[in-house]
Amino acid sequence: MPDATRVLVVDDEAALREPLSDYLVRQGFAAAQAASAAEARARLAAEAYDIVLLDIMMPGEDGLSLCRHLIEARQLPVIFLTARGEATDRIVGLEIGADDYVVKPFDPRELVARIRSVLRRAARAAEPRSAADEFHYLFEGWRLDPLRRRLTDSEGAVVSISSAEFRLLVAFLDHPRQVLDRDRLLDMVQGREAHLFDRAVDNQISRLRRKVERDSRNPELIQTVWGGGYMLAAEVRKVPADG
């Protein structure tokens, strides 16, 4: 029998954290709890987890700060547990790379479905590839190694990009010179039909433009198509990883 999926529930409200953890255990997960970001960091240092359910508003270090650490340092999938009025924080969380969110109060069955969906996507992304399957994207002097999420400029210098920026860039590279509207981009980047926020896409595109454009105020690569969405105005080639 395979090992149970390890879930860390991080929320300062015991009235939510404890029954949710009990429910996850009944659904076959191995659930642990943390009442603060500091406690979560201690648990993460001592044990390995497969996914983190993370409250945004907590005393001390908030969930957004901890999320950034989980994604950048540990590459752990994160689902936010958010209050209904925290729209701006949800947008920021998605921008820094959170995989999904649920709004309190939520149906625990929906949360379990979202956990399994996020883990399926993470498993597909982690599937090993043979050397023959590895490739790089080339576009306008840039090179992206999708396996290692490594973006380099024409001089070979590495440019740091977040998980969310990486997913957005791949969506454009897979559909060059095609107009992609916000709904389609959200679906591709978030991996689910999302009733999310147009602003999340706009802000992330602004961040990505600052990385790849010569002048982000007058973008040439990632163009705005008024009334339609965005388009990558570049020729894209896929070449062998050693090419």
Side-chain angles (χ1 to χ4, degrees), residues 37-53:
E39 186 178 342
R41 285 178 180 269
R43 282 194 171 275
L44 288 160
E47 303 175 60
Y49 294 92
D50 299 301
I51 190 167
V52 176
L53 309 181

Side-chain angles (χ1 to χ4, degrees), residues 30-150:
Q33 303 177 39
S36 66
E39 186 178 342
R41 285 178 180 269
R43 282 194 171 275
L44 288 160
E47 303 175 60
Y49 294 92
D50 299 301
I51 190 167
V52 176
L53 309 181
L54 179 58
D55 184 31
I56 289 181
M57 297 299 294
M58 295 185 294
E61 182 183 7
D62 66 17
L64 294 173
S65 173
L66 181 58
C67 177
R68 188 175 290 108
H69 166 74
L70 294 174
I71 292 165
E72 293 178 353
R74 297 177 178 270
Q75 297 185 329
L76 263 176
V78 174
I79 296 178
F80 272 129
L81 310 177
T82 78
R84 194 171 299 277
E86 294 169 357
T88 300
D89 288 335
R90 290 199 293 273
I91 292 168
V92 174
L94 294 170
E95 287 176 352
I96 64 178
D99 294 270
D100 206 344
Y101 71 87
V102 293
V103 178
K104 303 174 186 177
F106 51 81
D107 185 333
R109 294 171 298 180
E110 179 188 358
L111 176 59
V112 166
R114 300 239 181 142
I115 291 171
R116 288 174 174 154
S117 176
V118 167
L119 290 172
R120 281 194 298 270
R121 296 202 306 267
R124 286 196 297 268
E127 286 176 356
R129 301 182 184 182
S130 68
D133 291 332
E134 290 193 31
F135 67 90
H136 290 176
Y137 295 97
L138 298 184
F139 64 104
E140 295 294 321
W142 292 92
R143 177 184 289 258
L144 178 68
D145 177 348
L147 188 60
R148 296 166 185 83
R149 299 190 175 193
R150 188 170 184 265

